[in-house]
Amino acid sequence: MTYTTQMDAARKGIITEQMQIVASKEKMTVENLRQLIAEGKVVIPANKNHTRLSPEGVGQGLRTKINVNLGVSKDCNDINLEVEKAKWAIDLKAEAIMDLSCYGKTQEFRTALLAMSPVMIGTVPMYDAVGMLDKDLKEISVDEFFSVVERHASDGVDFITVHCGMNRATAKRVKENKRLTNIVSRGGSLLFAWMELNDRENPFYEYYDRLLDICEKYDVTISLGDACRPGSINDSTDPAQIEELITLGELTKRAWARNVQVMIEGPGHMALNEIAANMLLEKKLCHGAPFYVLGPLVTDIAPGYDHITSAIGGAVAAANGADFLCFVTPAEHLRLPNLDDMKEGIIAARIAAHAADIAKGIPGARDWDNQMSAARADVNFPRMLELAIDPEKARRYRAESAPECEDTCTMCGKMCPMKNMKKILNGEDLSIL
């Protein structure tokens, strides 16, 4: 029996190779996974042309995944550096990379990334349109927009972010409900500008079926972009954001009718007390589709530390239903991140995702923590360093401050409670002088 997409296969009762791999990674039965994919509650972004892919699942009951953004810009047009970032992201166990390149030889970098990457690759074709077509935004035609999408899909990208939900009605909401930060989505702002300049409907909304044709052909997962995501805590959960979310729910059902897999993108900035309600709202309005969030950043005052504000929001979001976290680096809002920024962002996002998996009761999530606790109780520093989420940093900190006794650290020394409790419970003598 033939199938077009992972969702089509799941609905026909076919177990694909990708489903078998993901089920093994997630420690769940492949039949349970197949049912979740059939219902749209889990996606396996796996373009037919991405031959290096080691597939991952995103959605209900699965480990929270993280995405890393990278790519060239006009001010930082160094393909070799972005390739190096991609290698780091893979080594640091990110499950996805989004190529947000918006200048220069974008296809050259994209194809190199796909050729080397076992992790899923996403793009935002709208970013590439001006550079690829070498035309001013206003002059780009509907057919040309779709030609860019087709190029990305045929190259092998596993998911694409397209801001289909910002139609004329939503744009009107934006204009009538003044925000502090207007539209902060780069793709969303470009589409808003095109709509205003041409007095036209959003082409990806008006001709949505053309987008579905492409995604079905290559089995590209649509990440329905949130053009009206809040760019400040002041703007969260406002009429434009909610109206767009309702539209995304409608577009989700239309995609599922074509067996096209869907993720929903969510807020970027949001006060801590609003996060849980927004996760519930998305799952309700978008029928349980996987939710992909940028942060959310829980305060706007921390340039240079936004990997922390993002990790706080990401942990709360994922614990309350978000399935996929986009990393944020210390360079957010300031500049294109370098390698060190990227590493800090990845580790922060992985901590948030893991903390959420513990809260969600994901099978095996606590095992890692229990192993670390056992190593601490045993005062086994080599094992602690081995288990650390960032072993390199942990080893460096340990080496920078050598204790008098190797089985202690310079915080407590001979007063180490772990060491002393172990001795006392083993009936040994104790001296702390």
Side-chain angles (χ1 to χ4, degrees), residues 41 57-66 263-267 270 275-284 288-296 310-326 349 352-360 362:
K41 294 176 181 175
V58 179
Q60 181 178 306
L62 278 57
R63 291 176 295 107
T64 305
K65 306 306 188 300
I66 72 161
M263 295 187 291
I264 308 296
E265 293 193 8
M270 181 166 285
I275 294 174
N278 268 263
M279 300 306 107
L280 177 62
L281 197 60
E282 183 279 337
K283 290 290 184 177
K284 287 282 189 180
F291 200 19
Y292 171 30
V293 295
L294 177 66
S310 171
I312 293 168
V316 175
N320 284 279
D323 307 288
F324 196 17
L325 303 181
C326 187
H354 180 68
D357 287 348
I358 293 170
K360 288 191 284 192
I362 298 298

Side-chain angles (χ1 to χ4, degrees), residues 388-421:
I389 194 167
D390 183 359
E392 179 187 348
K393 187 172 186 178
R395 290 191 179 98
R396 187 176 79 247
Y397 276 33
R398 176 81 174 152
E400 285 174 352
S401 186
E404 179 184 355
C405 302
E406 277 300 310
D407 56 353
T408 66
C409 78
T410 53
M411 174 70 78
C412 297
K414 290 185 177 181
M415 293 185 182
C416 172
M418 296 294 194
K419 176 181 178 179
N420 293 340
M421 286 299 299

Side-chain angles (χ1 to χ4, degrees), residues 39-54:
E39 294 171 359
K41 294 176 181 175
V42 165
V43 298
I44 300 179
N47 188 310
K48 296 170 183 177
N49 292 341
H50 188 181
T51 56
R52 280 291 309 276
L53 181 68
S54 176

Side-chain angles (χ1 to χ4, degrees), residues 16-120:
T16 67
E17 178 184 359
Q18 290 84 1
M19 292 180 203
Q20 291 174 331
I21 293 170
V22 171
S24 176
K25 289 180 177 180
E26 299 290 342
K27 300 180 175 62
M28 70 189 309
T29 68
V30 72
E31 176 56 29
N32 185 21
L33 178 65
R34 183 200 65 78
Q35 184 62 39
L36 290 168
I37 295 169
E39 294 171 359
K41 294 176 181 175
V42 165
V43 298
I44 300 179
N47 188 310
K48 296 170 183 177
N49 292 341
H50 188 181
T51 56
R52 280 291 309 276
L53 181 68
S54 176
E56 294 282 357
V58 179
Q60 181 178 306
L62 278 57
R63 291 176 295 107
T64 305
K65 306 306 188 300
I66 72 161
N67 171 70
V68 170
N69 290 338
L70 43 79
V72 296
S73 68
K74 187 172 183 178
D75 289 317
C76 298
N77 187 20
D78 185 341
I79 290 177
N80 292 331
L81 176 59
E82 298 309 303
V83 168
E84 186 67 17
K85 287 181 185 178
K87 291 177 180 177
W88 274 42
I90 293 165
D91 289 345
L92 290 168
K93 302 181 181 178
E95 287 89 7
I97 294 172
M98 283 202 81
D99 172 17
L100 305 186
S101 295
C102 58
Y103 177 79
K105 297 179 180 179
T106 54
Q107 188 181 25
E108 178 183 326
F109 175 58
R110 184 167 60 252
T111 53
L113 190 59
L114 286 158
M116 64 169 278
S117 176
V119 307
M120 53 185 162

